[in-house]
Amino acid sequence: MELTGAEITIRCLQAEGVDHIFGYPGGAVLFIYDELCKQNKVKHILVRHEQAAVHAADGYARSSRKTGVALVTSGPGVTNAVTGIATAYMDSIPMVIISGQVPTYAIGLDAFQEVDTVGITRPCVKHNFLVKDITELATTIKKAFYIASTGRPGPVLVDIPKDISQQKTEFSYPDSVFMRSYDPIIKVSLEQVKKAAQLILGAKRPMIYAGGGVILSNASTQLINLVQIMGFPCTNTLMGLGGYPATDKFFVGMLGMHGTYEANMAMQDCDVLIAIGARFDDRVIGNPKHFSNNERKIVHIDIDPSSISKRVKVDVPIIGDISDVLDDLIRLLRIDKEKLDLIALRAWWTQINLWRERDCLKYDRASTIIKPQMVIERLYEITKGDAFITSDVGQHQMWAAQFYKFDKPRRWINSGGLGTMGFGLPAAMGVQFVNPGSTVACVTGEASIQMCIQELSTCKQYNLPLKIINLNNRYMGMVRQWQEFFHGNRYAESYMDALPDFVKLAESYGHVGMKIESPGDIESALREAFKLKNRLVFMDFITDQTENVFPMIPGGKGLSEMILV
Amino acid sequence: MRHIISLLIENEAGGLSRVAGLFSARGYNIESLTVAPTEDSTLSRMTIVTIGSDDVVEQIIKQLNKLIDVIKVLNLSDGDHIEYELMLVKIHVTDKNREVIKHTTDTFSGHIVDTTDISYTIKLTGTTSKLDTFINTIGHSSILETVRTGASGIGRGERTLKV
Ligand SMILES: Cc1ncc(C[n+]2csc(CCOP(=O)(O)OP(=O)(O)O)c2C)c(N)n1
């Protein structure tokens, strides 16, 4: 039977097992919307801005093992979505974005709501397609899901001109696709794994540095095995939090610009570094020259060859899916484990424990003004460390990363690569849709939350019981902190003036609002909020305006050059 | 260092802009780029000449391989290879320089492919540096126009780049 392009699009989504799609209608996608409403397998979630559609699809993907899907119209629909797409791209999130385009015969004529979508999105997608022939629509969508979810994942965009969604053709959905130019299956080189094992067994001051790749590859179990078998210290990047349980004794905290003293010092001083699904990002190792002042051997495990020796030269690269590589590596290490120099390892731990005693995350617990760190600590206790936490970008994000001890992967959802303010709330919506019974909280700041605040309306429409933890310091805190440290205390445009009354704002959208001004009220307010299982609660915490995030590695400095409290 | 990179890419709309976009987005340098379909019309072959340190070129090759449409990439400079570039040069001729130009063209194995009373159009093939030398020998002042294709390269002997 012949189906229209719009019908085919929906059939493809159904065949891919897509249960939720986040979108916003417009002229170029009207045929697709018309088909959406005739079925109920794929549930459409209407957001209030296309950026939020993509962030929601992103949160959906990050907190599950599925591919997120967003649907937007041509022109402004696409340009609004670009921030979301770039956010997903930087963090390698599997996602398919379907965009409407002006009809094929109008392309290039500056038609109403025409933009060169493939051109605009090219640098921030894993791949994109413009469908010019209806007979290629189904295979193109199949390819999009295949590319998005395999290898190093990423967003893939399919641009569908309006006339294509209207034309008809025979429909069949391929079970699989073969692309001669794209083969994500990598056979791990056992030679390399052997070399790595040898290096590792000879280590005196070993260190495991694990990033977001561990989460994406679902390799948390293997990472835990590796650490437990070897007894090595382990750090996670901002993207890797939850990959190794934060409450475990071998965990030395997050590393990087706002990482712990012990993690950064161990990273700098180790003699064998095992980097797993991490990319030696500038926010992680600081100045690469300073980093290479210390001699160390590096084993780097990653699925993407272009991540190897990009910023830091490595000695033993192993290309492959982290789960596969770690399985092999652990097998080899187990055999020869007694070769390990346990005396050296014990001395190394003594050193690390001395660094730990520096207590780098301490803050004034007796303060009469709310300290943001305390809010996160109480949040951790009250949710028993088991909530999904999304965040925006700024100081609050760093405090959430430092003080919420993530023990499981896919619980910490933040925009690490692009650092997109406005991510937190829409991402939390996506998380809640794919984890309906779970507790989902968004830790945000009064500047960030206003970037996608309109989504409170979406939350109302779908009864999403999110808990918004607004750490309200009346400043773009992270900007203010940099201005304090590096720009002579000149707070240029970083004060948040004319703030709304967030309680009333939440109420006007039909939610519950709370304002918390005293440290003594933090716990009871949180308890009350989390008891309201079916309501969104917006908690406006009035926090210390002058609090800074420590430790901090200033830009251009090295890992051991932290500013400490 | 100068590197000459060959690649095979699906002959589809947008392929060229994916490659060119990669170079500009990552700040890599393109000296020249040639592209045309191969004997198999579903494939395009590109030759890219770039200048960069070995580390940068290693990254360029990895990044090119990462493009979904790219099928194979080869750094021709890693081994023996042949490269040719085509140049068309229009030269202002006078009674004084006519013979010299003819002679120089012969020396460089070029051909005069079009003439008027006051101009010669010369076709030359060879390595980029040979063509540069020709221009320097003729002298910039008498050159009216030049068109160059950029280098095309192929491996020597059994060294092939095929799907
Ligand atoms: C879309 C976007 N614009 C600008 C920035 C730069 N930026 C980083 S943090 C920050 C301030 C965030 O303030 P707030 O949300 O109040 O959080 P706080 O740092 O106070 O916790 C800004 C402006 C950004 N990351 N994203």
Side-chain angles (χ1 to χ4, degrees):
Chain A
M1 203 182 77
E2 295 213 321
L3 301 182
T4 66
E7 286 172 301
I8 290 172
T9 305
I10 304 304
R11 289 283 199 93
C12 292
L13 296 179
Q14 292 172 344
E16 285 294 333
V18 174
D19 45 28
H20 287 87
I21 126 170
F22 303 87
Y24 206 92
V29 283
L30 281 183
F31 288 109
I32 299 176
Y33 270 86
D34 204 28
E35 289 309 321
L36 259 177
C37 80
K38 292 180 191 158
Q39 54 86 56
N40 53 20
K41 281 198 189 127
V42 181
K43 191 165 190 270
H44 178 269
I45 306 302
L46 178 69
V47 294
R48 300 298 183 267
H49 186 295
E50 289 86 351
Q51 179 185 349
V54 184
H55 288 332
D58 185 326
Y60 176 98
R62 288 183 204 234
S63 62
S64 63
R65 295 181 181 192
K66 304 189 204 176
T67 299
V69 185
L71 170 61
V72 299
T73 193
S74 68
V78 165
T79 53
N80 271 352
V82 166
T83 299
I85 299 173
T87 303
Y89 180 67
M90 286 294 274
D91 291 342
S92 308
I93 304 305
M95 182 188 291
V96 171
I97 304 101
I98 293 176
S99 57
Q101 181 54 278
V102 300
T104 46
Y105 51 82
I107 290 178
L109 303 180
D110 299 316
F112 177 63
Q113 296 197 323
E114 178 182 1
V115 292
D116 173 10
T117 299
V118 164
I120 286 180
T121 58
R122 188 182 302 117
C124 60
V125 291
K126 183 169 173 187
H127 197 57
N128 57 18
F129 297 95
L130 169 63
V131 183
K132 285 198 201 139
D133 179 349
I134 172 91
T135 62
E136 282 171 14
L137 179 60
T139 3
T140 305
I141 295 178
K142 181 77 201 176
K143 280 183 189 169
F145 276 91
Y146 171 61
I147 295 169
S149 60
T150 51
R152 179 175 181 170
V156 179
L157 179 139
V158 183
D159 203 23
I160 307 179
K162 188 165 185 177
D163 55 333
I164 299 288
S165 69
Q166 208 180 354
Q167 287 166 17
K168 284 190 165 179
T169 192
E170 209 58 48
F171 172 68
S172 76
Y173 196 61
D175 292 330
S176 62
V177 276
F178 167 75
M179 296 173 72
R180 61 178 171 184
S181 65
Y182 176 70
D183 179 12
I185 311 285
I186 302 169
K187 209 178 151 338
V188 178
S189 154
L190 215 55
E191 244 352 86
Q192 290 297 94
V193 180
K194 274 184 198 152
K195 274 192 214 160
Q198 247 161 29
L199 251 187
I200 293 168
L201 290 165
K204 296 199 183 310
R205 298 185 310 280
M207 174 76 169
I208 295 176
Y209 147 57
V214 170
I215 315 269
L216 292 168
S217 159
N218 300 308
S220 197
T221 318
Q222 283 92 334
L223 175 63
I224 294 170
N225 277 341
L226 175 71
V227 176
Q228 304 277 335
I229 292 166
M230 305 306 289
F232 290 174
C234 177
T235 180
N236 278 156
T237 65
L238 180 68
M239 293 311 298
L241 292 176
Y244 191 82
T247 51
D248 188 78
K249 62 176 187 219
F250 293 124
F251 189 64
V252 293
M254 178 175 78
L255 85 168
M257 182 171 271
H258 295 294
T260 64
Y261 183 65
E262 49 272 30
N264 287 339
M265 293 302 284
M267 186 81 178
Q268 183 72 21
D269 276 10
C270 65
D271 71 341
V272 173
L273 179 64
I274 310 157
I276 311 175
R279 56 191 179 95
F280 296 89
D281 174 77
D282 53 306
R283 286 290 193 266
V284 165
I285 57 154
N287 184 339
K289 278 220 180 74
H290 181 278
F291 184 63
S292 49
N293 282 348
N294 289 53
E295 278 228 16
R296 65 177 85 66
K297 295 282 180 210
I298 304 178
V299 174
H300 190 180
I301 305 170
D302 206 287
I303 197 162
D304 178 0
S306 76
S307 286
I308 307 286
S309 295
K310 183 168 66 178
R311 294 193 79 242
V312 168
K313 275 257 166 228
V314 304
D315 302 280
V316 184
I318 309 175
I319 310 291
D321 189 320
I322 292 164
S323 307
D324 301 343
V325 177
L326 288 186
D327 281 340
D328 287 343
L329 183 63
I330 290 168
R331 198 161 30 78
L332 291 186
L333 289 174
R334 270 216 171 100
I335 301 171
D336 281 330
K337 217 194 119 193
E338 69 281 358
K339 285 191 188 154
L340 206 62
D341 184 345
L342 289 177
I343 296 170
L345 185 60
R346 212 166 300 137
W348 178 226
W349 271 112
T350 309
Q351 171 63 68
I352 290 170
N353 288 329
L354 279 175
W355 286 325
R356 271 180 171 158
E357 279 170 27
R358 184 63 181 74
D359 193 12
C360 65
L361 296 180
K362 65 173 172 262
Y363 66 91
D364 178 11
R365 286 167 199 276
S367 165
T368 53
I369 311 169
I370 295 181
K371 289 288 183 183
Q373 299 95 321
M374 185 175 276
V375 178
I376 307 292
E377 283 188 330
R378 293 293 99 80
L379 173 68
Y380 171 74
E381 289 155 18
I382 283 163
T383 56
K384 303 189 177 66
D386 203 30
F388 287 88
I389 306 288
T390 73
S391 99
D392 273 298
V393 177
Q395 293 181 315
H396 61 271
Q397 174 192 25
M398 292 302 128
W399 286 316
Q402 291 174 333
F403 289 88
Y404 201 98
K405 300 187 201 70
F406 294 95
D407 275 345
K408 291 182 197 157
R410 299 190 181 276
R411 293 298 167 113
W412 166 239
I413 313 288
N414 86 130
S415 162
L418 198 67
T420 308
M421 290 169 70
F423 175 80
L425 175 55
M429 303 189 316
V431 174
Q432 190 77 80
F433 277 113
V434 74
N435 301 280
S438 303
T439 305
V440 184
C442 166
V443 175
T444 184
E446 79 293 339
S448 290
I449 192 69
Q450 292 191 79
M451 286 214 178
C452 273
I453 192 82
Q454 75 286 344
E455 296 309 315
L456 286 175
S457 172
T458 311
C459 294
K460 183 63 194 169
Q461 181 176 345
Y462 299 99
N463 292 317
L464 300 177
L466 307 176
K467 304 294 177 274
I468 297 173
I469 315 292
N470 188 36
L471 300 179
N472 185 345
N473 53 8
R474 283 85 69 216
Y475 273 112
M476 297 174 197
M478 190 55 94
V479 174
R480 191 202 56 71
Q481 177 168 346
W482 282 58
Q483 290 169 332
E484 178 185 330
F485 289 11
F486 313 118
H487 299 276
N489 295 297
R490 289 178 301 280
Y491 298 144
E493 306 295 330
S494 56
Y495 185 68
M496 277 274 118
D497 215 343
L499 286 173
D501 177 334
F502 285 110
V503 173
K504 280 195 189 143
L505 183 74
E507 286 169 358
S508 80
Y509 278 108
H511 301 304
V512 180
M514 288 168 124
K515 185 171 184 170
I516 305 96
E517 296 180 87
S518 142
D521 295 336
I522 299 175
E523 192 171 337
S524 53
L526 281 168
R527 277 194 198 290
E528 195 186 325
F530 281 91
K531 252 188 228 141
L532 297 172
K533 291 250 179 279
N534 302 315
R535 299 296 299 275
L536 183 149
V537 185
F538 192 114
M539 309 187 74
D540 190 21
F541 289 92
I542 307 303
T543 61
D544 186 347
Q545 287 197 283
T546 61
E547 191 60 37
N548 287 325
V549 183
F550 293 109
M552 177 177 192
I553 305 172
K557 294 281 183 183
L559 276 171
S560 56
E561 299 175 311
M562 286 163 274
I563 307 175
L564 296 158
V565 258
Chain B
M1 240 241 318
R2 178 176 182 270
H3 288 257
I4 175 161
I5 297 167
S6 253
L7 65 87
L8 287 170
I9 184 168
E10 296 288 354
N11 186 11
E12 275 168 18
L16 176 59
S17 52
R18 285 184 208 280
V19 172
L22 170 68
F23 274 75
S24 65
R26 295 195 180 259
Y28 305 143
N29 153 311
I30 302 186
E31 288 287 297
S32 71
L33 187 158
T34 68
V35 55
T38 66
E39 81 282 2
D40 170 355
S41 64
T42 66
L43 284 175
S44 280
R45 169 107 176 208
M46 284 187 199
T47 308
I48 304 166
V49 177
T50 183
I51 292 184
S53 65
D54 289 352
D55 288 353
V56 169
V57 172
E58 187 185 325
Q59 262 300 311
I60 291 179
I61 287 176
K62 285 174 175 173
Q63 294 293 346
L64 284 169
N65 266 314
K66 227 167 110 171
L67 293 176
I68 303 292
D69 282 342
V70 168
I71 302 163
K72 274 196 176 147
V73 186
L74 179 68
N75 186 351
L76 286 176
S77 310
D78 280 350
D80 281 350
H81 65 278
I82 302 164
E83 67 173 271
Y84 275 101
E85 177 173 359
L86 168 69
M87 173 167 75
L88 299 173
V89 204
K90 196 171 285 179
I91 298 169
H92 181 66
V93 287
T94 58
D95 290 342
K96 260 168 84 202
N97 72 0
R98 199 177 304 267
E99 285 312 311
V100 178
I101 288 169
K102 273 189 185 160
H103 180 72
T104 314
T105 305
D106 280 347
T107 313
F108 280 81
S109 315
H111 295 279
I112 299 171
V113 291
D114 187 33
T115 58
T116 69
D117 288 350
I118 55 159
S119 76
Y120 281 171
T121 301
I122 293 159
K123 181 194 84 178
L124 259 169
T125 53
T127 61
T128 301
S129 69
K130 173 183 158 187
L131 304 189
D132 290 343
T133 315
F134 179 79
I135 288 177
N136 289 334
T137 311
I138 294 291
H140 286 257
S141 57
S142 49
I143 293 177
L144 298 172
E145 198 179 345
T146 63
V147 195
R148 298 172 67 152
T149 57
S152 284
I154 196 164
R156 265 193 196 279
E158 258 82 274
R159 198 169 176 229
T160 48
L161 180 64
K162 273 197 94 70
V163 173

